[in-house]
Amino acid sequence: GENVEQHPSTLSVQEGDSAVIKCTYSDSASNYFPWYKQELGKGPQLIIDIRSNVGEKKDQRIAVTLNKTAKHFSLHITETQPEDSAVYFCAASKNYGQNFVFGPGTRLSVLP
Amino acid sequence: SAVISQKPSRDICQRGTSLTIQCQVDSQVTMMFWYRQQPGQSLTLIATANQGSEATYESGFVIDKFPISRPNLTFSTLTVSNMSPEDSSIYLCSVEGYKGTDTQYFGPGTRLTVL
């Protein structure tokens, strides 16, 4: 079955710097890759997603890149702010929204 | 995005008892799922709640322990039966097919502590 790895497990950056989180997946049939942000005491919130027919997607300070050949995708956050501090989860799916396999998560801390 | 509520938001229960968690979404959805998230860990899918039929369980989860209902397209319940301290976790419902999208949205979660 699908296996999703995520690195780093923790990441600390200074406010204003960029943060990059990388995920790798094992199943080449996976075609949908969402990223979720989970703040303490809350459910995961979708922040951006990418499908296998696209190499890059951007939404303001957040971008995701996908390398299908290497089977990895990355989350890029620019101009980080303290409110970006949270746990971020990547996921991979073969059926556009079903049968998600989640990565283990990255705890991002943005230091003021 | 979908507006999803879960009740209760948290509970403390005694060993051997059962707790039913409710999930309500503000518009009809195609799919509803239940996840477990142990402290500091990632999300593990328990089952897919099927409207009008039995839920589909993932490996390691059984209906006797986690009975699920989905009477309509906006509501589902998950029961954690005969609880033990190992069931202490956050339980999350999620939905897919909200207003025609194929994105999966999550509820706020139910934090369960079993003593």
Side-chain angles (χ1 to χ4, degrees), chain B residues 9-78:
Chain B
S9 58
R10 58 176 62 228
D11 207 342
I12 300 173
C13 301
Q14 296 297 319
R15 180 195 298 261
T17 63
S18 298
L19 176 71
T20 296
I21 302 167
Q22 299 179 358
C23 177
Q24 178 77 55
V25 60
D26 67 324
S27 184
Q28 292 184 355
V29 294
T30 309
M31 309 287 286
M32 297 184 79
F33 306 94
W34 287 98
Y35 286 82
R36 183 172 72 183
Q37 185 177 30
Q38 295 182 308
Q41 302 296 312
S42 188
L43 292 83
T44 301
L45 181 64
I46 297 172
T48 302
N50 299 311
Q51 196 262 330
S53 64
E54 192 172 283
T56 305
Y57 290 85
E58 297 299 304
S59 176
F61 298 97
V62 296
I63 187 171
D64 290 346
K65 177 67 176 177
F66 298 102
I68 288 170
S69 78
R70 189 179 171 196
N72 57 50
L73 295 177
T74 63
F75 184 79
S76 178
T77 67
L78 167 75

Side-chain angles (χ1 to χ4, degrees), chain A residues 36 38 43 46 51 96-97 102-103, chain B residues 37 42 102-104 106-108:
Chain A
Y36 288 86
Q38 187 174 28
L46 179 73
R51 303 179 191 281
Y96 286 138
F102 283 87
Chain B
Q37 185 177 30
S42 188
D102 53 16
T103 303
Q104 198 167 129
F106 283 84

